[in-house]
C-alpha cells in the first residue's frame, strides 16, 4: 500500500468518529466540483471529469479506511470489549 492510500484511509477512519456517512463523500465531492466550476471562466467537460476523478481517488481510500475502522469496532464489540 502506498503513502497516498495510507493517509486517506487513516483520515477516513477518523471521519467515522466525526459522524461522516458513506453518502457524505459523494455530496462533498460534488459540492467541491460545483464550487470549482463556479469559480472558473475556463471550465469544460474535461476539467469536470478530471476533478471528479481526482476527488474520487481520495474519497475511495477514505471510505475503505472508514469501513475497516467500523469492522474492527464490530469485532471488538463481538468479543466483549
Amino acid at each position: 500500500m502506498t503513502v497516498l492510500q495510507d493517509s486517506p484511509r487513516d483520515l477516513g477512519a477518523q471521519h467515522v468518529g466525526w459522524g461522516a456517512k458513506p453518502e457524505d463523500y459523494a455530496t462533498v465531492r460534488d459540492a467541491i466540483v460545483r464550487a470549482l466550476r463556479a469559480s472558473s471562466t475556463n471550465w469544460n467537460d474535461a476539467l469536470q471529469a478530471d476533478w471528479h476523478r481526482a476527488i474520487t481517488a481520495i474519497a475511495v481510500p477514505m471510505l475503505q479506511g472508514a469501513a475497516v475502522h467500523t469492522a474492527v469496532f464490530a469485532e471488538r464489540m463481538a468479543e466483549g470489549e
Side-chain angles (χ1 to χ4, degrees), residues 29 32-33 36 43 46-57:
R29 178 199 57 207
I32 292 169
V33 171
L36 289 166
W43 194 260
L47 275 172
Q48 175 129 350
D50 289 345
W51 274 106
H52 192 272
R53 249 189 323 275
I55 296 168
T56 298

Side-chain angles (χ1 to χ4, degrees), residues 13-73:
Q14 290 174 356
H15 276 69
V16 172
W18 299 328
K21 297 182 278 311
E23 58 272 17
D24 295 338
Y25 290 82
T27 300
V28 169
R29 178 199 57 207
D30 296 345
I32 292 169
V33 171
R34 278 193 310 272
L36 289 166
R37 180 179 60 221
S39 67
S40 174
T41 58
N42 297 318
W43 194 260
N44 58 46
D45 290 342
L47 275 172
Q48 175 129 350
D50 289 345
W51 274 106
H52 192 272
R53 249 189 323 275
I55 296 168
T56 298
I58 296 166
V60 167
M62 287 181 71
L63 283 162
Q64 291 167 338
V68 169
H69 174 83
T70 301
V72 168
F73 182 84

